[in-house]
């Protein structure tokens, strides 16, 4: 079968989440036909999986302008822009109505298994850019299909590929075998069965970002509840405690994001969780009672826990893009031009400026990774960033370079920006006037060695944050 002329083809968008549906809306606005392929059985399938978690962005910050324009004729009105939706609210009140408006441009139960150039594997140069893209996908019943595309926008996110507990980026020894007591998601403690799993138990939370903050706050609330007596969290960080550990706090321009860090700090200060710093998990073992014992790279063994919540970030699934010529940063697995702007070794949320098609382009012209997937392994992606990305990409595909190059977004500053890439930032304490790298330790932040002391350390010194 010969591929049709490229100009007759749709743009295939992979993923019917917030960025993918916004991309489709912007393409429609540009007069270009999109085809959205979603692996789940409904729009926003990944968002539905964290329906119980409240966003730290308001409704005014999580609705894309082109999507709102597409929804307006249906009588849809945006909820109060100043209120904070849960993941469930976002999916049900915005994403599903948007998918409904797009109609059969959105196909659910379609898992993309491969993307290439028609008749060209990644080796072949001859007339490569004149060939359309070919996208293979599998239906829920196992049927295999393909579709041709003029361009491909991968907005499939990273939700399906969480990072492991292991400090080396690999699953810790025994981690897979302990799967019955490990989760890689923030648990829904309003669900009676899930609540019973954690109530009165000792739970390790591994991670240092917004998800870890949320889990710690949830466990602290459970510990205070009548049915949660004895609930205890153990917060495991790969680095030390510093003034930036808890994010922007009251200075955060996204107040709910700042509140997450403050809630995590309160959980530790009030004794509902202990913080273990500088601990990189190497193995997960079981004691004689079947409880889990985490072993560090330094061979320290922590006291046994009943459950482990691993919230160490996500990573992109690049397997189905293997026949494309992508330009990805060797560390972050993000587009080469974007990576320096989002590298957590160098930047916080407030220093990442809006970006578009140029930063998202690849050697394979016409393919773009957008949304969470564009950040690779970097943390803290904002919906507003994704909406600006897809606006620019849609304009570029339409040939409107002036619009594609224009920045139409101002991002909030500060916030929860840490990530595993910040490898050895030590506790901000001074020892004998030299640089400090204290041994991993168990600390309660209300104790003398607290975050308060860290905040008073000189920012410019070798131990400053």
């Amino acid at each position: 079968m010969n591929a049709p002329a490229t100009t007759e083809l749709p743009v295939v968008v992979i993923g019917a989440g917030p960025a993918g549906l916004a991309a489709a809306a912007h393409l429609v606005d540009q007069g270009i036909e999109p085809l959205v392929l979603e692996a789940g059985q409904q729009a926003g399938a990944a968002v539905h999986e964290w329906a119980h978690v409240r966003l730290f962005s308001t409704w005014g910050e999580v609705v894309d302008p082109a999507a709102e324009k597409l929804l307006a004729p249906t009588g849809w009105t945006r909820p109060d822009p100043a209120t904070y939706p849960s993941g469930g609210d976002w999916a049900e009140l915005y994403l599903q109505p948007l998918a409904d408006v797009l109609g059969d441009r959105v196909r659910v139960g379609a898992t993309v298994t491969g993307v290439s150039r028609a008749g060209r594997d990644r080796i072949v140069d001859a007339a490569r850019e004149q060939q359309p893209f070919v996208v293979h996908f599998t239906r829920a019943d196992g049927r295999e299909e393909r579709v041709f595309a003029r361009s491909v926008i991968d907005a499939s996110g990273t939700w399906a590929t969480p990072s492991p507990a292991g400090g080396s980026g690999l699953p810790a020894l025994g981690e897979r075998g302990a799967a019955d007591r490990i989760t890689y998601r923030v648990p829904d403690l309003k669900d009676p069965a899930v609540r019973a799993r954690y109530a009165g138990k000792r739970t390790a939370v591994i991670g240092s970002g917004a998800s870890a903050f949320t889990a710690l706050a949830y466990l602290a609330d459970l510990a205070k509840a009548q049915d949660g007596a004895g609930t205890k969290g153990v917060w495991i960080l790969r680095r030390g405690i510093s003034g930036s550990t808890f994010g922007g706090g009251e200075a955060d321009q996204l107040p709910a994001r700042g509140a997450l860090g403050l809630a995590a700090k309160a959980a530790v200060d009030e004794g509902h969780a202990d913080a273990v710093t500088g601990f990189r998990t190497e193995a997960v073992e079981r004691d004689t009672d079947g409880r889990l014992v985490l072993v560090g790279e330094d061979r320290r063994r922590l006291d046994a826990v009943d459950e482990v919540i691993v919230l160490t970030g996500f990573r992109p699934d690049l397997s189905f893009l293997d026949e494309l010529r992508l330009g990805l940063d060797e560390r972050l697995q993000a587009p080469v031009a974007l990576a320096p702007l989002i590298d957590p070794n160098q930047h916080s949320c407030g220093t990442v400026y809006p970006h578009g098609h140029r930063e998202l382009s690849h050697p394979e012209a016409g393919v773009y990774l957008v949304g969470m997937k564009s950040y690779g392994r970097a943390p803290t992606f904002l919906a507003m960033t994704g909406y600006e990305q897809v606006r620019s990409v849609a304009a570029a595909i339409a040939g409107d370079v002036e619009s594609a190059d224009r920045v139409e977004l101002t991002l909030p500053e500060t916030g929860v920006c840490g990530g595993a890439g910040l490898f050895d930032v030590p506790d901000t304490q001074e020892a004998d006037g030299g640089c400090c790298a204290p041994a991993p330790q168990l600390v309660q932040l209300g104790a003398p060695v607290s975050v308060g002391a860290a905040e008073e350390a000189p920012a410019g010194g070798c131990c400053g944050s």
Side-chain angles (χ1 to χ4, degrees), residues 293-371:
V293 176
L294 302 183
V295 183
E297 291 180 356
D298 58 0
R299 307 313 299 162
R300 285 189 310 127
R301 303 168 64 88
L302 301 185
D303 291 341
V305 296
D306 301 287
E307 300 285 343
V308 178
I309 303 173
V310 180
L311 300 169
T312 53
F314 296 86
R315 53 187 59 179
D317 177 7
L318 302 167
S319 59
F320 59 87
L321 303 176
D322 196 47
E323 290 304 317
L324 297 176
R325 298 174 177 181
L326 301 181
L328 297 174
D329 179 76
E330 61 186 13
R331 293 172 301 160
L332 297 183
Q333 295 179 297
V336 169
L338 176 60
L341 311 182
I342 61 175
D343 185 349
N345 291 288
Q346 304 294 331
H347 293 278
S348 70
C349 305
T351 60
V352 177
Y353 61 80
H355 49 272
H357 73 110
R358 295 193 184 278
E359 292 85 356
L360 299 170
S361 63
H362 293 273
E364 192 81 70
V367 61
Y368 301 92
L369 276 59
V370 302

Side-chain angles (χ1 to χ4, degrees), residues 33-238:
E33 196 65 15
L35 175 60
V36 183
L37 301 177
E38 165 59 47
Q41 296 303 310
Q42 58 188 327
V47 178
H48 277 283
E49 292 191 31
W50 50 270
H52 57 289
V53 178
R54 191 161 299 281
L55 280 70
F56 52 62
S57 297
T58 64
W59 271 113
E61 296 157 339
V62 298
V63 174
D64 176 79
E68 188 167 12
K69 178 181 175 182
L70 199 60
L71 284 163
T74 70
W76 183 88
T77 55
R78 181 174 58 183
D80 183 351
T83 61
Y84 295 89
S86 65
D89 296 335
W90 201 19
E92 293 169 17
L93 302 180
Y94 169 63
L95 297 178
Q96 189 57 56
L98 179 54
D100 292 341
V101 169
L102 290 165
D104 19 352
R105 296 182 177 107
V106 178
R107 298 185 192 176
V108 298
T111 302
V112 173
T113 57
V115 183
S116 187
R117 291 280 189 178
R120 306 288 189 275
D121 62 23
R122 66 184 297 160
I123 300 175
V124 179
D125 291 332
R128 185 177 188 85
E129 293 194 5
Q130 284 68 57
Q131 301 303 310
F133 292 96
V134 60
V135 181
H136 286 217
F137 61 98
T138 303
R139 292 289 197 172
D141 60 7
R143 286 181 295 127
E144 296 181 72
E145 299 183 26
R146 71 175 178 180
V147 64
F148 295 101
R150 62 187 286 184
S151 188
V152 175
I153 300 175
D154 184 356
S156 59
T158 56
W159 178 255
T161 46
S163 296
S168 301
L170 303 173
L173 299 178
E175 183 174 344
R176 292 188 180 96
D180 59 317
R181 290 178 179 258
I182 299 178
T183 184
Y184 299 84
R185 308 285 187 259
V186 176
D188 182 3
L189 297 185
K190 292 181 180 179
D191 181 315
V194 176
R195 191 175 182 87
R197 176 175 174 174
Y198 295 95
K201 304 292 180 61
R202 179 177 168 87
T203 299
V205 177
I206 305 176
S208 60
S211 295
F213 292 170
T214 302
L216 289 166
Y218 283 4
L219 290 172
D221 287 343
L222 178 57
K224 298 172 190 176
Q226 188 173 3
D227 62 341
T231 302
K232 183 76 172 184
V234 181
W235 186 20
I236 298 175
L237 298 98
R238 293 172 179 169

Side-chain angles (χ1 to χ4, degrees), residues 29 37 63 116 201 214-215 228 238 249 287 363 372 391 398 420 422 427 447 451:
D29 195 47
L37 301 177
V63 174
S116 187
K201 304 292 180 61
T214 302
R238 293 172 179 169
D287 66 9
M372 277 291 299
R391 182 204 64 76
L422 300 172
D427 288 8
V451 118

